[in-house]
Amino acid sequence: MNEDLPLASGSPTLEDVARVAGVSRATVSRVINGIRNVDPAIQETVRQAISTTGYVPNQAARSLVTRRTGAIALVVSGAGGESEEHPFPGQVFADPFFGRVAGGIVGFLRPRGIHPILMFAETPEARAQVITYLRQGNADGAVLVSTHAEDPLPRLLAGSGLPAVLFARPAKPIPISYVDVAHRAGAKLAADHLVARGCRRVATVSGPLDVPASQDRLAGFRDAMAAHGHPYIPCVEGNFTHDSGEAAMERLLAEHPDVDGVFVANDLMAQGALLVLRHHGRRVPDDIAVVGFDDSSAALACRPPLTTVRHPVEDMAAEMARLLLTHIEQPGHQVTSVIFEPTLVVRQSA
Amino acid sequence: MNEDLPLASGSPTLEDVARVAGVSRATVSRVINGIRNVDPAIQETVRQAISTTGYVPNQAARSLVTRRTGAIALVVSGAGGESEEHPFPGQVFADPFFGRVAGGIVGFLRPRGIHPILMFAETPEARAQVITYLRQGNADGAVLVSTHAEDPLPRLLAGSGLPAVLFARPAKPIPISYVDVAHRAGAKLAADHLVARGCRRVATVSGPLDVPASQDRLAGFRDAMAAHGHPYIPCVEGNFTHDSGEAAMERLLAEHPDVDGVFVANDLMAQGALLVLRHHGRRVPDDIAVVGFDDSSAALACRPPLTTVRHPVEDMAAEMARLLLTHIEQPGHQVTSVIFEPTLVVRQSA
DNA sequence: CTGAAAGCGCTAACAT
DNA sequence: ATGTTAGCGCTTTCAG
């Protein structure tokens, strides 16, 4: 090994390492990429050379030939029209839900040396930019978390032929892979629990009814309650925000003052509902039991702590990443959906 | 323009566009990169060729020669030791604060065609990976949001010579650029407001006292209260979480039952404090006034809505991105800090 | 098991 | 104003 050859200025390249180790570029490349058929002694020499030179591979050069970037896009998308209202994108990120998704994705991808590029797609321009960005080969594929039913991005993605996976089933059938939770089963868990604890006059606060998740939670809840002999379940529609939960609960109380149990379609709304109940002097769970959905950080911030249906977001996000990787590695892989089972987390609100 | 030349398989390259347009690669490159000195007629021909071929530039090839990736790392970092506790990284993302940072960064960077790569650096390995990742040229620089005072990453980054900017002043002096808010001035705003509304027995809940932001908010509050003739201000330390806010308020009430005003060092803790006050039957703001810090989404979720010191997080994040870009473009640029002035947002809690 | 050589697609001197 | 030509640093046949 030639210890003291002059290195070119700038950061060392394969060439430099090869010269120091007294071998060819190809050999250095082989040891770096862990390809066998390299003499152990030479391997050692090369490793030495790598550390004495302080060599790090140049990802651009590598990508140019392998056609892989080691990055994927993590797209948070809305339906559009939000551009004028906010000076900054990504307000939606205030929901702790997205942090959980990000955590799940990174947990799976990071050990594999892959990293997510964060993109918001709240306007038509932003959506077009996402597609262009992927086409330029800045990322090998995309995972998409969509907040609105009318979001056109899933279709754009499916049409582009780029590897992509959605969080949640699209509102209209689109040939694209996705992961989701069994919303109906989760709602049934809530219904069974409320009935089991003796609630007789049960109502629900749903999410926005144009999104499949909300529809399914509502339908699942009503079906389960019907099976328990409660054919009519009053419902007020919310939009998954804290404030809408308050408003919905307020209305429910006005229209059905005697409710003794309520299933709220997500924890953030349930938190708002709890505030309203307390304000009206209703004791939870004694006067009225409340079950949420998600088991987000909001559930623990509630008083009393919220009994809720656990949405395994991190596991789902990890699966989404895994699915994306198979689509990237096997371009012809068939469209797949993976459904997770929710569980009930019993705390004190019901 | 030669409409019907055979295109190579795969996606079209500059070469293909050039052939179709009947010009050289260099000319096509010039029009794509908006370099003048190109005949308008030829420009038009080239644009035509680009759209007929469906050409999109290959970013890897471009990066290889320009030494720019058009990506920066957005690093959320902790002090370490969190690896065993959580199966997934980024739990900290539950705090809406990070969503605001991300929004501010993207708002500034996206129009410039730059995107953030999300990285969590909660363990020593993860931190090393961040450095390696940057060295490999996967990103042109990093913005760092650190959650703990003992985080070693700022120092690693400063030592590496890679372009980087911090959110918030590091606990110990490090030669690295950062943006921050005038914590003392913000705390003074809170103090002045509490005094002006007639509070006489004032206390505070601070953040973790090993981080400069907490120290400064506490010191600024105490100084301002002293100036108003209140030399002794009781303080209970929290850690910026909802739960710690509850615990702190509980303790404050036990030790100083007669407090009539409290400055809580962030909104999440203030939310917890408000819950405790209500539980103890204290009316807010009549019996006791509460002022928070941040003006995060939690402030509006409080009952009553929280009077708080607005932390201009999005603007600060945008500035952080701007600063990083200047460091990337001018490698020798001097270390800089930018301090933002907070404002008081008066709602109903004080 | 190792080396030589041919590009990957693009930009940027340098010529013209 | 446009074309020619050299690479950027790496992987990967193909020989040996």
Side-chain angles (χ1 to χ4, degrees), chain A residues 101-187:
Chain A
V101 173
I105 303 246
V106 171
F108 182 85
L109 254 25
R110 191 170 59 186
R112 292 164 177 75
I114 299 178
H115 299 269
I117 295 167
L118 187 58
M119 305 187 79
F120 298 115
E122 77 284 8
T123 65
E125 305 79 60
R127 281 187 282 277
Q129 203 181 26
V130 169
I131 301 287
T132 303
Y133 192 76
L134 291 168
R135 274 206 209 298
Q136 291 189 145
N138 284 292
D140 301 328
V143 294
L144 208 204
V145 183
S146 209
T147 58
H148 296 299
E150 296 309 319
D151 183 7
L153 196 49
R155 191 173 299 281
L156 288 174
L157 239 21
S160 73
L162 294 160
V165 179
L166 307 188
F167 192 101
R169 172 166 59 88
K172 290 170 188 165
I174 292 178
I176 192 165
S177 291
Y178 66 86
V179 303
D180 210 337
V181 70
H183 299 282
R184 303 180 68 106

Side-chain angles (χ1 to χ4, degrees), chain B residues 23-342:
Chain B
V23 299
S24 74
R25 285 208 311 271
T27 299
V28 179
S29 177
R30 287 183 186 111
V31 351
I32 286 172
N33 294 298
I35 294 176
R36 49 176 186 294
N37 298 345
V38 179
D39 185 300
I42 294 191
Q43 267 189 55
E44 188 45 36
T45 313
V46 170
R47 278 187 219 299
Q48 286 281 335
I50 288 175
S51 77
T52 70
T53 53
Y55 171 77
V56 288
N58 177 311
Q59 183 60 42
R62 204 176 242 178
S63 292
L64 185 54
V65 33
T66 62
R67 269 116 205 320
R68 283 288 161 64
T69 63
I72 61 126
L74 165 52
V75 186
V76 181
S77 182
E82 306 171 31
S83 54
E84 262 47 64
E85 310 165 29
H86 305 300
F88 297 108
Q91 314 289 44
V92 73
F93 238 54
D95 193 321
F97 168 75
F98 295 100
R100 294 180 67 190
V101 173
I105 303 253
V106 171
F108 182 84
L109 254 24
R110 191 169 59 186
R112 293 163 176 75
I114 299 179
H115 299 269
I117 295 167
L118 188 58
M119 306 187 80
F120 298 114
E122 77 286 7
T123 66
E125 305 79 60
R127 280 186 283 275
Q129 204 180 26
V130 169
I131 301 287
T132 303
Y133 192 75
L134 291 168
R135 275 206 207 297
Q136 290 187 146
N138 284 291
D140 302 328
V143 294
L144 210 205
V145 184
S146 209
T147 59
H148 296 300
E150 296 310 317
D151 183 5
L153 196 49
R155 191 173 299 280
L156 287 174
L157 240 20
S160 74
L162 294 160
V165 179
L166 307 189
F167 193 101
R169 174 165 58 88
K172 290 169 190 166
I174 292 178
I176 193 167
S177 291
Y178 65 86
V179 303
D180 209 337
V181 69
H183 299 282
R184 302 181 68 108
K188 179 176 189 310
L189 253 26
D192 293 351
H193 185 73
L194 288 172
V195 168
R197 82 184 320 282
C199 297
R200 310 281 307 163
R201 291 168 302 282
V202 173
T204 186
V205 174
S206 76
L209 290 174
D210 58 337
V211 328
S214 303
Q215 295 164 5
D216 291 354
R217 289 177 196 179
L218 175 57
F221 189 69
R222 282 190 161 146
D223 285 357
M225 290 305 295
H228 284 296
H230 298 267
Y232 174 66
I233 300 295
C235 171
V236 176
E237 181 178 354
N239 66 9
F240 285 147
T241 64
H242 181 103
D243 284 358
S244 78
E246 286 189 67
M249 193 68 233
E250 204 70 73
R251 206 173 123 208
L252 218 44
L253 242 27
E255 295 174 0
H256 306 274
D258 60 345
V259 295
D260 62 359
V262 50
F263 168 52
V264 185
N266 83 337
D267 291 351
L268 224 47
M269 292 197 296
Q271 191 177 23
L274 249 21
L275 242 30
V276 167
L277 289 173
R278 183 182 293 222
H279 189 253
H280 282 263
R282 307 288 179 109
R283 292 169 307 159
V284 173
D286 303 319
D287 298 337
I288 176 168
V290 177
V291 177
F293 200 113
D294 278 355
D295 194 25
S296 73
S297 59
L300 281 168
C302 287
R303 289 300 167 276
L306 192 66
T307 290
T308 188
V309 178
R310 170 151 242 280
H311 192 169
V313 176
E314 289 85 355
D315 294 316
M316 291 168 66
E319 174 62 22
M320 190 162 43
R322 199 193 60 72
L323 249 182
L324 179 61
L325 256 39
T326 72
H327 275 112
I328 289 170
E329 283 156 16
Q330 307 166 24
H333 195 271
Q334 76 174 29
V335 168
T336 308
S337 62
V338 180
I339 310 300
F340 285 71
E341 287 305 317

Side-chain angles (χ1 to χ4, degrees), chain A residues 149-326:
Chain A
E150 296 309 319
D151 183 7
L153 196 49
R155 191 173 299 281
L156 288 174
L157 239 21
S160 73
L162 294 160
V165 179
L166 307 188
F167 192 101
R169 172 166 59 88
K172 290 170 188 165
I174 292 178
I176 192 165
S177 291
Y178 66 86
V179 303
D180 210 337
V181 70
H183 299 282
R184 303 180 68 106
K188 179 176 188 310
L189 253 24
D192 293 351
H193 185 72
L194 288 172
V195 169
R197 81 185 319 281
C199 298
R200 311 283 306 165
R201 291 168 302 282
V202 172
T204 185
V205 173
S206 77
L209 290 173
D210 59 336
V211 327
S214 303
Q215 295 163 6
D216 291 354
R217 289 177 196 180
L218 175 57
F221 188 70
R222 281 190 163 144
D223 286 357
M225 289 306 295
H228 284 295
H230 298 268
Y232 172 66
I233 299 296
C235 171
V236 175
E237 182 179 353
N239 67 8
F240 284 148
T241 63
H242 186 279
D243 284 356
S244 77
E246 286 189 65
M249 193 67 234
E250 204 71 71
R251 205 172 125 208
L252 218 44
L253 242 28
E255 295 173 3
H256 305 274
D258 60 344
V259 297
D260 64 358
V262 50
F263 167 52
V264 185
N266 83 337
D267 291 352
L268 224 47
M269 291 196 295
Q271 191 178 22
L274 249 22
L275 243 29
V276 167
L277 290 173
R278 182 182 292 223
H279 189 253
H280 282 262
R282 308 288 180 111
R283 291 169 308 159
V284 175
D286 301 319
D287 299 335
I288 176 167
V290 177
V291 177
F293 201 114
D294 278 354
D295 194 25
S296 73
S297 58
L300 280 168
C302 288
R303 288 301 168 275
L306 192 66
T307 289
T308 188
V309 178
R310 170 152 241 281
H311 192 169
V313 175
E314 289 86 354
D315 294 316
M316 293 167 64
E319 174 62 23
M320 189 163 46
R322 200 193 60 72
L323 250 182
L324 179 62
L325 255 38
T326 74

